[in-house]
Amino acid sequence: MNKIYKKKAALHNLGCKVNAYETEAMRQMLENAGYEIVDFSDMADVYVINTCSVTNMADKKSRQMLHRARKLNPDAIVVAAGCYVQTQAGDKQNSLGADIIIGNNKKHDLIESIRSYEAAQSGGGETGPFVDILEMNCKQPYEELHMTNTTEHTRAFVKVQDGCNQFCSYCIIPYARGRVRSRGFRDVLDEVRALAANGYKEIVLSGIHLSSYGTDNGETLLHLIEETAKITGIERIRLGSLEPGIVTENFVRSLFGIDKICPHFHLSLQSGCDATLKRMNRKYTTAEYEAGCALLRQYFEHPAITTDVIVGFPGETEGEFLQTLEFLRKIRFYEMHIFKYSKREGTRAAMMAEQVEEPVKAQRSAKLISLAHEMSEEFREYYIGKDTEILMEEPAEADGRRYFTGYTKEYVKMAVKTDKNLSNTFVKGRVFGKAQNGLYLLVEF
């Protein structure tokens, strides 16, 4: 008897935690539709690329992955989804080389779009791409996507919010994602319960502008966190990127009272100079940002505070850059993501005078990256000699030995020497040093 051929699908994600969630949701849609999910480098019948447009480099990577999919199998259906394709129009869409183009808020139609395209092809229909893109400059409903499992074994991202109303002068995302809209409170909790029932012990509440959760439905992010913490089986709750304005004393005190909360806070900064922040249309000052960090450190013993910084923003003088450098040294972050300013067509910053030259951006970026490495090492070395708890994730090898690695609540990578499979278990022990490869700290248990 001939074996029935099962169609294969491969997915590739670019960008943020929200994109990661949406990619997992599309993977589950494909599985439910009968597809076998394979690695992106394998031969597949359908390739789905969830694109990103946060920087010019993200645009470039999105195009590269679309072209790579076409080369892997010229006869496959190539699907381009997400932020990059949302910002393209007309001839630009046709140049993507995709068969199906799905914008934001339309990813739930993935299977229907594939079937419509296949029907059109079999019937000798149009040869151009099948395009399903909504206008995001007006209010759209929250897109209902659901997930009960992920390709990760211990941690699950849960999307609770979409869109942004901030309109920072450098950012294309409000145009790609639309206005703020929050996921239904009960819907979030139901999904977290389903993930807990499938063995996930850690979740990450994620959104495009997470701090605005509830502003359109009468809820609050804090209430969502408190109710999520009551769900049996969930042992850790992480938060996606937060705006400094949400870090009030009441918010931090309340978080401190939740045992499951991870003291790992990503507070978006972008610049340590008030004049630059004003040009960026950021809604806080460096003094307010510093006060938020002080509150976190007042309540939590050694919180991991991470951030994003843009160098070379239009008009950034050497003096303004030095202000940022000194501010970063003063705050002392666990990790910093450094970005060279990327001009985005359609944003206010793209039209600003005094664009900074690329060599200057590169020089400033190198200085901040060096500082980031220094501060990260300083933060991690704090744990040597201290007791810790790790949620184990995967095996690794270093120094000719076998380890199992995982993360603390502060998202510091740790490892224990063992041949056992410790995936998705908690291990307690004392940190005694660093692996020679420098990638993680070593723990005796």
Side-chain angles (χ1 to χ4, degrees), residues 200-353:
Y200 293 93
K201 296 180 179 178
E202 178 177 308
I203 61 157
V204 185
L205 298 179
S206 305
I208 294 299
H209 192 258
L210 183 62
S211 300
S212 66
Y213 177 82
T215 56
D216 58 335
N217 68 359
E219 279 296 341
T220 66
L221 179 61
L222 182 57
H223 185 212
L224 181 65
I225 296 166
E226 289 170 337
E227 291 303 306
T228 300
K230 296 176 183 177
I231 294 174
T232 302
I234 297 301
E235 301 295 334
R236 288 182 176 181
I237 300 171
R238 292 191 193 277
L239 304 178
S241 180
L242 297 173
E243 287 293 306
I246 200 173
V247 187
T248 63
E249 179 142 15
N250 177 65
F251 183 78
V252 177
R253 186 193 309 114
S254 298
L255 290 185
F256 180 70
I258 301 171
D259 289 340
K260 295 179 181 181
I261 204 74
C262 291
H264 172 211
F265 304 104
H266 188 87
L267 293 186
S268 184
L269 174 61
Q270 309 305 355
S271 175
C273 168
D274 286 331
T276 307
L277 287 174
K278 189 172 183 179
R279 291 198 304 279
M280 289 178 167
N281 197 32
R282 300 293 288 173
K283 307 298 194 296
Y284 51 84
T285 64
T286 53
E288 291 166 340
Y289 188 97
E290 184 178 358
C293 293
L295 272 173
L296 291 170
R297 287 170 173 152
Q298 175 186 331
Y299 281 89
F300 294 95
E301 180 182 347
H302 192 239
I305 302 176
T306 64
T307 198
D308 303 313
V309 181
I310 296 173
V311 294
F313 187 76
E316 184 185 67
T317 65
E318 184 65 17
E320 288 180 343
F321 169 71
L322 291 175
Q323 285 182 47
T324 291
L325 182 63
E326 288 308 308
F327 186 75
L328 300 177
R329 284 175 175 156
K330 182 180 182 182
I331 298 297
R332 311 306 293 178
F333 293 96
Y334 166 37
E335 288 182 337
M336 299 192 300
H337 302 142
I338 311 300
F339 299 92
K340 290 181 285 186
Y341 168 71
S342 176
K343 186 188 288 189
R344 314 301 291 137
E345 183 180 341
T347 63
R348 192 148 47 91
M351 299 179 286
M352 288 181 178

Side-chain angles (χ1 to χ4, degrees), residues 86-99:
Q86 183 73 44
T87 62
Q88 306 303 297
D91 291 340
K92 289 183 178 179
Q93 289 176 348
N94 293 329
S95 68
L96 294 175
D99 300 303

Side-chain angles (χ1 to χ4, degrees), residues 315-436:
E316 184 185 67
T317 65
E318 184 65 17
E320 288 180 343
F321 169 71
L322 291 175
Q323 285 182 47
T324 291
L325 182 63
E326 288 308 308
F327 186 75
L328 300 177
R329 284 175 175 156
K330 182 180 182 182
I331 298 297
R332 311 306 293 178
F333 293 96
Y334 166 37
E335 288 182 337
M336 299 192 300
H337 302 142
I338 311 300
F339 299 92
K340 290 181 285 186
Y341 168 71
S342 176
K343 186 188 288 189
R344 314 301 291 137
E345 183 180 341
T347 63
R348 192 148 47 91
M351 299 179 286
M352 288 181 178
E354 300 179 53
Q355 296 285 329
V356 178
E357 295 181 355
E358 287 301 319
V360 176
K361 291 182 194 177
Q363 183 184 47
R364 292 175 183 175
S365 175
K367 287 182 180 179
L368 295 193
I369 290 171
S370 176
L371 176 62
H373 289 158
E374 172 195 318
M375 292 193 295
S376 183
E377 283 299 296
E378 174 187 288
F379 184 90
R380 295 195 304 149
E381 287 176 358
Y382 165 89
Y383 292 99
I384 296 176
K386 294 181 170 59
D387 293 331
T388 191
E389 182 178 65
I390 319 159
L391 179 54
M392 308 308 292
E393 294 192 7
E394 60 186 2
E397 290 191 16
D399 317 331
R401 299 176 180 177
R402 297 188 64 177
Y403 295 92
F404 219 90
T405 64
Y407 289 88
T408 67
K409 276 191 168 185
E410 297 82 9
Y411 207 67
V412 176
K413 192 172 186 179
M414 304 273 182
V416 296
K417 184 185 174 187
T418 182
D419 291 324
K420 297 178 181 178
N421 181 358
L422 300 176
S423 181
N424 207 28
T425 64
F426 286 98
V427 167
K428 293 182 179 180
R430 177 156 293 184
V431 183
F432 67 89
K434 292 189 290 186
Q436 289 181 8

Side-chain angles (χ1 to χ4, degrees), residues 6-147:
K6 190 173 185 179
K7 287 187 176 181
K8 296 179 173 63
L11 301 96
H12 184 81
N13 180 65
L14 293 148
C16 64
K17 293 178 175 66
V18 169
N19 259 25
Y21 172 89
E22 292 170 346
T23 301
E24 291 289 349
M26 288 191 285
R27 175 191 58 79
Q28 201 159 322
M29 288 180 218
L30 288 161
E31 285 181 332
N32 292 341
Y35 285 85
E36 177 187 349
I37 307 301
V38 299
D39 189 82
F40 195 84
S41 61
D42 293 342
M43 183 74 76
D45 300 286
V46 174
Y47 293 92
V48 180
I49 298 90
N50 199 13
T51 64
C52 177
S53 193
V54 71
T55 63
N56 285 330
M57 183 57 70
D59 285 356
K60 182 179 179 181
K61 288 181 179 178
S62 297
R63 292 191 297 269
Q64 287 174 339
M65 293 310 298
L66 289 166
H67 295 150
R68 182 181 171 193
R70 179 62 67 204
K71 287 181 179 178
L72 284 167
N73 183 4
D75 296 324
I77 296 174
V78 177
V79 182
C83 289
Y84 176 58
V85 300
Q86 183 73 44
T87 62
Q88 306 303 297
D91 291 340
K92 289 183 178 179
Q93 289 176 348
N94 293 329
S95 68
L96 294 175
D99 300 303
I100 299 172
I101 297 173
I102 301 175
N104 288 322
N105 250 46
K106 297 295 287 184
K107 292 167 187 171
H108 62 282
D109 288 336
L110 172 65
I111 303 303
E112 181 183 334
S113 296
I114 293 173
R115 288 171 179 164
S116 296
Y117 178 81
E118 288 175 328
Q121 291 300 104
S122 63
E126 295 182 8
T127 57
F130 177 89
V131 180
D132 191 8
I133 290 183
L134 285 172
E135 173 58 56
M136 298 303 288
N137 284 333
C138 56
K139 180 72 173 178
Q140 296 288 351
Y142 182 86
E143 180 180 24
E144 297 295 339
L145 295 172
H146 298 276
M147 186 176 65

